[in-house]
Structure formats: structure tokens, C-alpha cells
Amino acid sequence: IDQRKKMISHLLSLRSVHGLESAGTAFQCIPLDASDFIFLLESEDSVASSSAGTSLLAVSFVAECIYARSGALSSDKRIMDLSSTLFEWLSLLSKRRGFTSIDSVEGSDYTCASIMHALLAIHQNIKIITVTDEKTVSPHRKGSRLSKSKRKSIASSSSAEKIAEQAHLIVTLLGGQEDSHGNKIKTSLSKTAKTSALALLTHLCSLAPTAVVSSLLPAVMNVISSSCALGQMKSNTKRELLTNTVGDALMAIVPAYCTHAQKAGMSIAELLGSFIMKCDIGDDISWNSRLDLYRYLVDALLVVPSEENAGKAIATVICLTMADEAFHFSGNSSSKSPTIFESESEENPIEFAFQLNLRTTATNQISAAIEILGLVSEVMSMLTLDDDRISFDSSSKSDDFKVCANDVVLMALKGPSSTKRTEQTLTLNERYRKSLRWLIVTCLSVIDKILNCHPVRKLVRDDNNPLANLCLRMWQDLMQMQTVCAEARDTHAATISSKGNKIKFLDGCSKAAGGCLTTLQQILPAPHFLACISSLMNDDEISTMMQTKSISLLSHRASHTNPNSAEAALFLEAVPDLVSLVVKNSRMSGKNHDSNDSDARCDTVVQQSALIAIEQIARSLGLLSSNMQIKKRSAMIFGRALKVITDLLNHSASSLIRSGLLKEESNSESHHSFNIQVLSTAALCASTLVHLLKAKCLPQLPNLAKPLIASLSTINTMLESNTSAESNPGVYQSFKLLQLAILRTMVSVSETLPQFLVPYLDTILSPNALPSSMLRQDHNSDAVSVKMMCERFDTALSTRAPCRQLVPALAKAITKCFCKNDEQETHRWKEALSILSILKASINNASQSDLGPIIGKVVKSVIQVYDFLDNEAARSELIDSANAVLISLVMKLSEAQLRPIYAKLREWRGEIDNNSDKSAFLRRYAFWSLSAALSKNLRSIFLPCMSSVVPDIVSELEHAVSCLCINSKVSLPENNKRRKLESTSGTIVDEDSLVSLQPLLLCLELALKADAHDGGNWTRGGEGQRYTTILKHLGKLLQAKIPTDLVFASDDNGAGTSVFDIFVSGIGAEQYGSVSSCLTALAAAAGNEQMWKPLNHAVLEACGNESRPEVRKAGVRCLLSIIQSLGEEYMVLLPECLPILSELLEDEDEETAGLARECVRQGEELLGESLDDSLR
């Protein structure tokens, strides 16, 4: 044996010292065993006594030979001793002190790599042997198997502590740490050597998992401590060192730990707890550096698990990291260093977790999101709202890569140091609750961000992807979570304020879950989504809230679906299920009316949700689709739906009408409130379906229009009879919503099928229906919305309904508004205004040929309005609206058609009889108001008609002169009870008889102006007789004596202006008529000096009235108006005016003197010379 050892020692020396290759060849041919190699490595003569350089060459050569004979050596009894010897050399070569002579020698790196390869080869062969069958094979054959007793001897010879020390040495070699004796380890392994070291470490863990795995956690902490110390270095250097050391070390430690931790009774939570705890200590480490550390951790975790467990690993890291952040967020941490994350910045926990999730494939990202949601659900179930205690069950176990809810909750409440799970109960104080709430909401936000990632969205949208089913399960879990939150919130909404934080938490969870749901419903394949929705809709066991939420998501998804795609056809097939829900809950609602309001409310909510979904699908897919097949299918589906909805409308409307809501007893009001809600929703749905189906909805039109109109009339009547309805906002708002829904439906019908509304026009236009004043209010936003929709209905009727059929119905409606009989008198003038507005619009949109047959009805309707002017508050509005209707009609007719109409109106007015009753005076008022409007719009075209009423004008003026001018007398019967006014001169004035005077003056003024524009022939007709007669009376009225309490129309209702100034001078009455304006127009129409002289004389007579200053002022104001109107032509009469003006310049009234000066100034300007000499 000694000779053998000397021989191999000399051969090694010749090879390593003298470089003799043949000696090396001979050395390799000798069948050396483990004892021989141990001798060579320990021999002082062959190795230790050599110089440092030759020693390294010798060790390297021996290691290479061991590597070559690793298969044969695997059956050697001393194989583990050889492994220990190689580890001793590995430690010796790597120490920074104690073997300083080697530090400066080149080749030590190569020697370390050779030893590492040899060790790996040895242990790989040992591994192969120990995991194979127990059959005995040749010990010299590579891959041979040892007997059971042989394996036991190997196992007994390998000390667990020794293996643990060797594993620690490998870890420190990779991480640049101290060994177990405090010696600094040199880290310069090549890439190949590092790979071998990682594989060797894994094998050592399999040999002694308990001892080795427990030593890995301190190694992890040392690695992280080293990386945190790099925070003071430059960024590029730091990144490079992190990449070369920390990443490789974690890649060695983490897979080995995960593979064998369960055998050692340890968990992944302890590994991650140690990692997170060390990361928290690094105060100066940046967000990016910390992210790099976690990325290395994730990459290392993903080395070990199968594809199905990769998502669990990612989810575990994210949940525990967020739990640590929750621990810091709530202030539970006693550490002075705050968390580095700020929710308002871009470097926030959600983005951090998302970046970690990006380290793997889209498939694993989805799996991670599902696992995170599962943990969140478990945490929520532990966080009960009514119990302040939370229990931890030690029996709950986690697998190799997934933690349970206990681990996450403990991390959030106690920090990363509390990863040992024990059976205990904690009392939840506000800080603990704050941690868990933050954790849940943040994890849900992470899930939402993951789902919004483009690769994930693309993968989930694939119908053939099996992950779509998992996402569907996630969708269901989120639905359940949101429903639980909503139900819990309703339960605690009315509790004391101390539970306000719980309500906020539930709102936050519901919002976060809603965000995830919104994302999922957008990316889930339509078949999966619809299958789940259909299942939820038809499941009688699920809660109403969840059923309603699923229907809502269906309608939302449908609104974002391409109406021409294949998915659109799938969504259309969901409509029959929705219709079934409407029918089923309609029946249940009827039954529950007799049971309790809670059940009725649930049925109503589901029914409304279904109706809204039908309407949304019809609007999004039916109306917008250009695909003929989809259109055909939608017509069939929605036609059946409309049939069900019209039946529902009939039932709800009849119930509403029969009950008379406000008259019902209080215990039934909630049921009727539900009834109104369903009726409103059904009407809105029917509106869209009518617009979609058009003529195909004709079979259902009677069942649709009648209940809607009846319901509208009922609601309007209720609001009109109950003036305090607005004091109950809930009831009032429901009424307004129903009005709006019905009007919208009727607008759809009138815009789509106007010709088929004719049978219902009488009902629509009844005073309590469309014309009702309850639809035309604007005192709040709800009323304004109803008013706008009502006006839209007006427009649709007037523009689309045939004029020949609409006008007769409007005429009947006006008759109903002004109805007189023995029992009562109806005077609904506000409703009449609405009907007149529709009538005017209808006439404006009709052709001349269409108007011929209905002229009589229009005139008759206007006359009916004129007959009801007793109400002074409504008089002005009624007159203006009725006149506007007739003007619209006349503008469509010829002059020949106008004359008989005007003659008929004159006939209706009757003769001028000043002893008539009030109604006769009001007819005269209406007639002259209409004449003024016609004169204004038709101008000279209307003059022939005016010729027929000149005698009437003269009669009216004569009566006014007799009543208002001095020395005029009027005799009245003693039994006349009409109002009389007594002037200061003792003249008796009948106010009613003068009601038509102002519109008469306006009519005359407008006719004279039109005639002046055409040359004045009409005014000067009859050899000037017409002019003379009119002037005679107007001149007298210029000096009229007006009772102070007589009322005339003005812009400001006479505020601050005398009655005389309004009527005579026209101050504030430019739009209503005055004496002065008529005289100015008469002067313009006269057109020559001969006719101006009597007019000028009448004006100057007023200017010279010494007893009445108001008359002087009116006269000079009239003179100034004439001068301004006629200009230079009137200057021929200026000399006659100067004496009077000279006196007026010295008048006591400053305003009168000022008007006189203005007349003189105007004359001087027109003549071009001063008038001072003439005024002296």
C-alpha cells in the first residue's frame, strides 16, 4: 500500500511540478479509490509541501480525476470522506485570511471550480444510487446501485451537522458572506462553478433537509443585509453587485428551501417573513433596489414549482408583501422607519405588486390573481363585522407555495416576525381593522391592475383558453363579495356613528370588487360570460342583490358589444331569460302584495333590472345593428318582449287607476310605490322597443297607448288635486319619473307611427293628459325634464300627425278646456295655451291644400278662446296665443280667403253697442287685438279688410270721446251694475266699455303706418272724409280727461307713469297703442300740407291748454314726434307753431319746456337757420 501511495504521489508531482503529460496519463490509468484520493489531497509531501502554484495545480488535477471517476467512486465506502476533504480544500481556498499566500496566486478560481465540479459529480452519482432500486449491481459500473445496508452505512457516515456546514459554505461562496467561523469568504466563482454550486446545494438539502434548510434562513438574511449595505454605493456598481451576488444567492437558497422545507417542518411563510423583515430594515434602499430584490426572490421561487403552482408562488409573495405594507400602514410597526411606499405616488404598493407579477407568463398572472382573490375572500370571512375577535386555527395548512389566510392576517397584524402559526384569538382593535381593510382593498386593486394588463386581457378573451373558466369563477367570487358587502352595508347603514368606518370599508371593498368585475366582464369570452349570467338569473336560491347585479352587468356588457358581431347574436338570446324574469316576478309581486313589503320590493327590483337590461340590449344591439340576420332575429325576440311588457303595463296601469294612489291607506302606499316604479321602467323599455320594431309593434299599440295615457291622466289629476305632494320628495319624484317615462314612450310612438295615433288623439289631448299644466312646470330639475319631454311630444304631434286629423282633435280639446253646462263651468286656460301652441305648430307645418278643409275649425277654436277672457290674469296670454294661431293660418292663405274669415270674426264681434254686457266688450277687445296683430303682420295687404271696419273704428272713438273728454255725456241705465268710474268733472265712465280702446288705437296706428309706406291712398280715400273723421276724434282724445283708476296696458304695468301719459302720450305703451302714436302715423299717411293743417291745429290746441299742464306736455311731445317723423316736409307749418313754442319755452314744468326747446332745435336743424328772432 505504501508503495502504491508513493507511486501515485510521484506521478502527481511529475504532472503538477514538472509538467510531464505522460505522468498524468499514467496517473489516470490507475484505478484509484476514495482512500487514494484522500491521501493525495492530505499528503504533505505531494501537495502541502509544494509551492502555492504547484499545490493548486495538483489539487486541480486530482479534482479533475475525481470528476472523471465519479461513477466508479460512487460505491466506495469512503466516498463521503472524500467529499468532506474536498469541502475542506474549498473552504481553505476561499478564505481571505489564513491562507494569504494563495490569495495572490493565479489559478485559485480554476481550482475552486474544479473542486465544485468534482463534488457535484460525486453527489449526483450518490443521488442516483440512493433513489434507484435496491438490487445489487457491479460496484465498478457507473450508475450501479447499493444494497439497503450499504445505503444505511453511507447515511450513517454522513453527519447532518457536517452537511449543514457544507451547505452554508456553498451559500457563503455565492453570497460573499462569512463562514461559520467568522472568516470572510472570497466570491469569484465562474458561471459554470456557480451552476455546479447551486446544484450541489440542492443535493445537500435532500441528504439532510432538517439541518440544511434551517441554516438557509440565516443565509437569506445575510444576503439581504449585504444588498442593503450596497445602498451607499453608486447606482451602476450597486446594480452590478446585486445581479452577481444577491440574485445568484437567492437562486441557490430559495429553490432548495422550497423543495425540502416541508420535510424540515418549515413553511414558505417563514422564508418570506425572513426576507421581508430584512428588507424592512434597509432604510436607505430605494424603491427600484427593493423591487430588484423582490424580483430575484420571485425568479427563484419560479424555478421550483410546476406550471400550476407558479401562480400560487406569485400570489404568496404579493399577499405577504401587501400584508407587511398593511402592518406599516396602520401604525402597528414599532420601527421608526416608515414604509417606502406612498399611495399617492407612482411608486405605490399596487404598482410594486404588479411589477412582481410581470415576472411570469400571462397564464401564471391569471392564476396568481385567482389565488390572491381566494386569500382575500378568506381574510374577509375572518374579519366579521359583529365580532371584535378573530381566531387563528393552527390546523389550517398551506402547501409548498401557498400560504393560508392565517399567515397573511398575522403578517398584517403582527409584522413579518410572526410567521409561526399558532391557535390563538386576537381582539380586533381599530388599528388591526385598519390594517386588514387596507390589505383587502389594496389586494383587490392589484387584481384589477393584473386583469387590465394587455397580455392577460388577450389571453382571457380566447374562447378556447381553459383559463377563461377560472376567470369565470373569479367573476362569480367577485360578484359574491360585492353582494356580501352590499348586504352588510344595508344592515349597518342605520347603526350608530361608531360603525362609520365599517361602512366606509364596505364601500371601499365594494368599489374595488366592482372595478375588478368591470374589467372581467369586458374581457371574458361572451359564451362564458353569458352562461354564468344565465345561471345566476335563473337560480332561485341566490340573493336578490346578486341576481340584480348580474343583470346589471349583462346590460353593461351588451352596451359595449359590437352590434354587428357574432357576440351580439349571443346577447340577443339572453333576452328571453330576462322576459321570463319579468313575467315570474310580476306574478310574485301580485302574491307578495298580500304578504309583506320586503318580498314585494325584492320582486320589484329584479323586475326593474330585467326591464332595464332589455331596454339596454335593444338600444345597443337592436337599433345600431346593420346586420340583416341580427335585425331579423332581434325583431322576433323583442316583438315577444313587447307583448309581455304591454301586458305588464296594462296590469300596473289598471292597478294605479283603480287604487287612486293618494286616496289609499298608508299600509298600501309602499305597494303602489313599487307599482309606479315598475310602470315607469316598463314604459321606458317599451319606448325603445317601439322605436326598434316600428310597424311590427302595431298589434300591441292599443294595449300600449291606452294604459299609458290613462296613467298619465291619473298622475296629473293626483298632482293637481294634492298641492302638498312636493312635501314628500320620494312620492313626488316617482310621479315625475312616471310622467317622463310615459311621455318618452308616446314620443317614440308619435315619431315612429304618427298616422296610427289618430284613434287616441282625443284621449291624448284631454285636459288631464298632454295639455295638463302639471307637465309644464319648471320650478325644479325633475319638473324641467318632464316639461322638455312634453314639448318634444308637442313637436312630434304637430309635425308628424296628419293636420286634417289633428286639428279637429285639437278643436275638441279646446272645447273641453272651456266647457259650460248646467252643472259647472270649466275654465282651464293653461291647458288651452298648450293646445293652442300645438295647433299653431301644426298649421305652420301644414301645406295650403291641407288647411282648406279645417279653416272653419281653426277659426271656431280661436273664437272659443276669445269667448273666455273673463280671467284678467289669463287674458293677455290667451289673446296672444289665439292671435298667433290665426296669424299662422292667415299667412298660409290668400287675400281672398282672408276676407271671409275676417268678416266672420266681425260678425262674431257684433255691433258696437255701448250698453251691452261685459262679454260683448271683451269680444270687441279680442277683435281689435286680432286686427292689430293682422295689421302688423300683413301691413298693406290688410288695408282692404280695414276699410270694412272704419265705421266701427269711428264708433269706438266717438264712444271714447264721449266718455273721456270734457262736455261729453253718456247716459247709462240706472240698473246697470257694471263698474263705473267718476272723473273729477263729474263724467260717468264705464271701464268695461273702454277695454277695447287701446288695441283699437294700436290697430289704427299700424294700419296708418302701412298706408303711409304705400303712399297714403287708403287714409286719404273718400275725398279725405276718412282722414277728417279719424282726426276729429283723435284731436279730442289728445285732451282727454282720464280717471286715475282706469287701467291701460304698459310695459311696466303703469308703475311710476300716470294713466294719462300711458294712454295719450304712449309712455311705456309703444307696443300697446296710444293717441299720440296714432296722430303721428296719421300725419305720415296724410302726406300733404292741406291735410296737415287741421292736424297741426289740433296738436297746437293741446299745447296751448292753459288749465292742464299734462295736456300741454302731451301736445308738445306729439308735435316733436311729428317733426321727427316727417322731417323737412313739415317745416311749412313751423311758423304756425312758433308762437305756442315760444310760450312753452317759459312753461313752469321743466320737462315741457325741454320738449319745446327740442322742437325748436329740430326746426333749426332742418331749416339750417336760427329761430331766435321768430321766437321773440
Side-chain angles (χ1 to χ4, degrees), residues 418-434:
S418 59
T419 52
K420 283 288 185 181
R421 282 176 274 147
T422 58
E423 188 169 0
Q424 56 181 313
T425 300
L426 287 177
T427 300
L428 288 176
N429 55 35
E430 189 55 36
R431 287 195 308 170
Y432 286 170
R433 288 187 180 276
K434 185 178 180 181

Side-chain angles (χ1 to χ4, degrees), residues 662-809:
L662 297 179
K663 298 179 181 179
E664 285 291 309
E665 300 190 8
S666 58
N667 59 0
S668 300
E669 287 185 2
S670 57
H671 171 73
H672 298 308
S673 177
F674 301 149
N675 194 32
I676 287 180
Q677 293 174 21
V678 172
L679 186 57
S680 302
T681 310
L684 289 172
C685 184
S687 170
T688 302
L689 295 185
V690 167
H691 197 63
L692 169 65
L693 296 173
K694 294 182 174 57
K696 295 180 181 178
C697 72
L698 284 177
Q700 304 303 327
L701 189 57
N703 295 329
L704 179 65
K706 291 178 180 179
L708 289 180
I709 300 169
S711 298
L712 183 63
S713 298
T714 301
I715 290 294
N716 292 340
T717 302
M718 291 174 180
L719 287 172
E720 189 173 1
S721 60
N722 185 18
T723 55
S724 62
E726 291 187 49
S727 61
N728 188 339
V731 174
Y732 177 77
Q733 192 171 25
S734 65
F735 283 1
K736 287 297 175 183
L737 179 61
L738 180 55
Q739 287 177 328
L740 184 64
I742 294 173
L743 288 171
R744 179 179 167 184
T745 305
M746 297 310 298
V747 166
S748 294
V749 175
S750 60
E751 290 179 345
T752 308
L753 306 167
Q755 65 274 28
F756 296 100
L757 267 185
V758 175
Y760 315 104
L761 286 177
D762 290 344
T763 311
I764 292 172
L765 296 172
S766 62
N768 287 327
L770 179 60
S772 174
S773 59
M774 296 296 103
L775 300 175
R776 301 170 190 274
Q777 300 170 331
D778 55 2
H779 51 273
N780 57 48
S781 57
D782 293 328
V784 169
S785 299
V786 173
K787 180 181 178 182
M788 292 176 63
M789 187 59 66
C790 187
E791 291 172 350
R792 183 178 168 187
F793 191 14
D794 292 348
T795 303
L797 276 180
S798 60
T799 57
R800 296 176 182 269
C803 180
R804 294 186 180 184
Q805 297 167 326
L806 177 60
V807 170

Side-chain angles (χ1 to χ4, degrees), residues 935-999:
S935 183
K936 180 180 179 180
N937 287 274
L938 300 180
R939 300 178 67 82
S940 60
I941 298 175
F942 186 63
L943 291 177
C945 293
M946 282 292 293
S947 299
S948 64
V949 294
V950 170
D952 300 334
I953 295 175
V954 174
S955 298
E956 293 276 12
L957 292 175
E958 285 179 350
H959 175 66
V961 169
S962 66
C963 291
L964 301 176
C965 296
I966 299 174
N967 299 325
S968 298
K969 296 181 180 180
V970 62
S971 60
L972 293 173
E974 294 181 359
N975 60 352
N976 194 318
K977 296 182 181 181
R978 288 182 280 108
R979 182 181 178 187
K980 305 175 183 65
L981 302 173
E982 185 175 1
S983 68
T984 56
S985 63
T987 303
I988 302 299
V989 179
D990 184 1
E991 181 187 18
D992 290 337
S993 67
L994 297 177
V995 70
S996 62
L997 182 56
Q998 201 172 15

Side-chain angles (χ1 to χ4, degrees), residues 449-477:
K449 194 167 182 66
I450 292 172
L451 295 175
N452 275 298
C453 179
H454 178 69
V456 171
R457 294 172 70 95
K458 183 178 179 181
L459 184 63
V460 175
R461 284 185 181 277
D462 185 5
D463 292 351
N464 298 321
N465 179 24
L467 282 176
N469 291 326
L470 294 178
C471 290
L472 189 60
R473 190 186 72 190
M474 182 194 300
W475 184 83
Q476 293 172 328
D477 293 342

Side-chain angles (χ1 to χ4, degrees), residues 445-564:
S445 300
V446 171
I447 294 173
D448 185 45
K449 194 167 182 66
I450 292 172
L451 295 175
N452 275 298
C453 179
H454 178 69
V456 171
R457 294 172 70 95
K458 183 178 179 181
L459 184 63
V460 175
R461 284 185 181 277
D462 185 5
D463 292 351
N464 298 321
N465 179 24
L467 282 176
N469 291 326
L470 294 178
C471 290
L472 189 60
R473 190 186 72 190
M474 182 194 300
W475 184 83
Q476 293 172 328
D477 293 342
L478 287 167
M479 284 274 294
Q480 183 65 37
M481 180 182 296
Q482 198 174 40
T483 302
V484 169
C485 289
E487 291 176 345
R489 192 194 188 288
D490 291 343
T491 302
H492 295 274
T495 57
I496 57 177
S497 58
S498 61
K499 292 192 177 182
N501 291 330
K502 296 179 182 179
I503 300 300
K504 292 180 180 178
F505 162 65
L506 291 170
D507 289 341
C509 288
S510 181
K511 182 179 179 180
C516 298
L517 278 172
T518 301
T519 302
L520 266 177
Q521 72 167 351
Q522 292 173 353
I523 63 177
L524 272 176
H528 294 73
F529 176 81
L530 290 172
C532 182
I533 287 291
S534 178
S535 174
L536 291 174
M537 286 193 304
N538 297 317
D539 188 353
D540 295 332
E541 301 300 324
I542 67 171
S543 66
T544 299
M545 190 168 294
M546 190 167 183
Q547 195 174 31
T548 304
K549 182 63 179 176
S550 64
I551 296 172
S552 175
L553 291 175
L554 171 64
S555 61
H556 187 270
R557 175 74 179 264
S559 65
H560 291 82
T561 301
N562 185 346
N564 297 314

Side-chain angles (χ1 to χ4, degrees), residues 382-401:
M382 297 172 70
L383 186 63
T384 59
L385 290 174
D386 297 325
D387 193 356
D388 290 334
R389 294 175 301 172
I390 186 169
S391 299
F392 300 95
D393 186 7
S394 60
S395 62
S396 59
K397 302 294 182 181
S398 58
D399 56 26
D400 294 342
F401 300 99

Side-chain angles (χ1 to χ4, degrees), residues 550-587:
S550 64
I551 296 172
S552 175
L553 291 175
L554 171 64
S555 61
H556 187 270
R557 175 74 179 264
S559 65
H560 291 82
T561 301
N562 185 346
N564 297 314
S565 64
E567 289 186 356
L570 296 177
F571 278 95
L572 287 176
E573 298 304 325
V575 174
D577 289 339
L578 294 170
V579 173
S580 299
L581 276 179
V582 173
V583 175
K584 180 174 68 175
N585 285 276
S586 178
R587 296 170 182 169

